[in-house]
Amino acid sequence: MQISLKETAAALKSVQRIVITAHVNPDGDAIGSSLGLAHALKALGKEVQVSIDDDIPAAFSVLPGYELIGKPAAGQNIQTDLLVALDVSLDRIGQVAEVVSAPTLNIDHHITNDGQADKLYLDGTAAATAEIIYQLIVELGVTCDKDMAMCLYTGLAMDTGWFRFSNTTPNTLHTAAELLACGAVPNLISEALEQRPFSEVQSLAAAMQKIELLADGKVAGVCLDYASLQEHEAPEGLIGMVRVIEGVDIAFTLKEKEPNLCRVSLRSKGIDVTRIALQFGGGGHVRAAGCSIEKSCAEARTDLIRAIMQVLEEER
Ligand SMILES: [Mn+2]
């Protein structure tokens, strides 16, 4: 059931124990929104746990509360009054779905949200879930402090490509300004999140050698199979390097994270790439989407390219 922001605030106020989660393969918005909301609910005297079924990259230790994020263990049974899922539909929260049995409240900005949660607050115009969480904090009557601001600013900055992408609105920048006024330190966040181990820069260089151009240069992508990912870890930011290639409309990366399990990221300069991601059970936004394909790297590549070509053909 879709609810309003006011009803979302009321749902949070009406319970005492809250577990916050976000999607697997968490990004800055998933982590920043989760911690930002956790700080706000703690300020209201709530008992809050943050549980995300994945490893949290160490770079995010710049965020206050990083050490509080737990990972659910199989067979665990977390008792709580409400499960709050951020930046995701309930189908991508991994084992959290099994270890927590409680009513669900979902807060998201993805237009592809499946609406399966008991209560859903969805704002597809928000650049980031963090933008919604800031409004929610105001609605809750909580004073935004530095810890909340650091976390939410990170979510907002990272989902907008540091305020460069088309989802950046006047409200996004107003929110960012409010967060700076509340104590967020933008250079601390960007320096922490931009730094890379030397080995990762080398991995990025190796992966960039494998970028292929397709469809007369309208499509570019890179596929990393399981063996090559054992040799060099998948570098962060690879899709961004593919995206900037002149003439490219659709950029993709395909990473075989486990044998026969490929994670796909898609970016576009206009074409709706959710049309491709949805074909494989994924989702996202018009210009940034993703999905998983349970096949080998080579087979998944064939299926993905076929789907991309079909969408390009329909656009013509
Ligand atoms: Mn997001």
Side-chain angles (χ1 to χ4, degrees), residues 29 87 109-110 129 159:
D29 191 27
D87 201 40
H109 69 126
H110 293 92
T129 297
D159 258 23

Side-chain angles (χ1 to χ4, degrees), residues 16-280:
Q16 180 55 25
R17 298 173 304 171
I18 298 167
V19 173
I20 298 172
T21 192
H23 51 84
V24 294
N25 202 10
D27 56 14
D29 191 27
I31 297 164
S33 295
S34 295
L35 289 175
L37 180 60
H39 292 309
L41 292 173
K42 282 185 180 178
L44 283 173
K46 308 291 182 188
E47 294 163 46
V48 187
Q49 284 184 65
V50 180
S51 181
I52 296 176
D53 190 13
D54 217 327
D55 298 325
I56 310 297
F60 287 105
S61 59
V62 68
L63 296 186
Y66 167 84
E67 67 288 346
L68 303 176
I69 303 175
K71 196 173 173 178
Q76 205 183 351
N77 182 10
I78 301 177
Q79 297 293 320
T80 191
D81 302 327
L82 185 67
L83 175 62
V84 182
L86 300 179
D87 201 40
V88 67
S89 302
L90 292 180
D91 58 345
R92 279 190 68 226
I93 60 173
Q95 285 203 52
V96 174
E98 284 114 61
V99 304
V100 178
S101 53
T104 50
L105 169 65
N106 193 185
I107 302 169
D108 195 9
H109 69 126
H110 293 92
I111 50 173
T112 51
N113 188 292
D114 66 9
Q116 292 302 302
D118 298 323
K119 290 177 179 172
L120 168 66
Y121 180 68
L122 181 69
D123 180 1
T125 70
T129 297
E131 193 172 315
I132 303 174
I133 299 299
Y134 179 74
Q135 293 165 7
L136 184 57
I137 285 175
V138 173
E139 185 66 43
L140 284 165
V142 173
T143 305
C144 185
D145 65 12
K146 182 178 177 179
D147 287 358
M148 298 172 211
M150 286 287 281
C151 297
L152 297 179
Y153 180 89
T154 299
L156 205 52
M158 295 197 79
D159 258 23
T160 56
W162 308 93
F163 308 104
R164 290 174 301 128
F165 297 160
S166 64
N167 59 352
T168 307
T169 66
N171 191 56
T172 310
L173 294 174
H174 282 303
T175 305
E178 293 290 341
L179 293 170
L180 293 195
C182 295
V185 188
N187 61 301
L188 264 188
I189 295 167
S190 63
E191 281 159 23
L193 290 166
E194 280 167 357
Q195 66 177 348
R196 298 280 174 266
F198 179 54
S199 61
E200 198 178 309
V201 175
Q202 286 182 310
S203 297
L204 185 60
M208 284 169 71
Q209 293 293 328
K210 296 182 183 172
I211 296 174
E212 50 183 332
L213 277 184
L214 303 156
D216 297 324
K218 291 195 184 67
V219 177
V222 50
C223 300
L224 301 171
D225 64 16
Y226 185 70
S228 72
L229 287 174
Q230 295 311 103
E231 200 182 325
H232 290 290
E233 225 180 290
E236 290 297 318
L238 179 57
I239 188 87
M241 304 308 296
V242 181
R243 190 182 153 270
V244 297
I245 298 170
E246 197 175 358
V248 167
D249 285 338
I250 297 177
F252 70 87
T253 60
L254 189 154
K255 300 169 188 168
E256 191 178 12
K257 294 267 183 173
E258 290 165 31
N260 298 312
L261 175 62
C262 298
R263 278 191 183 155
V264 176
S265 295
L266 293 154
R267 298 287 184 276
S268 94
K269 289 173 188 155
I271 293 171
D272 181 0
V273 285
T274 63
R275 286 160 60 192
I276 300 160
L278 285 167
Q279 288 186 40
F280 300 101

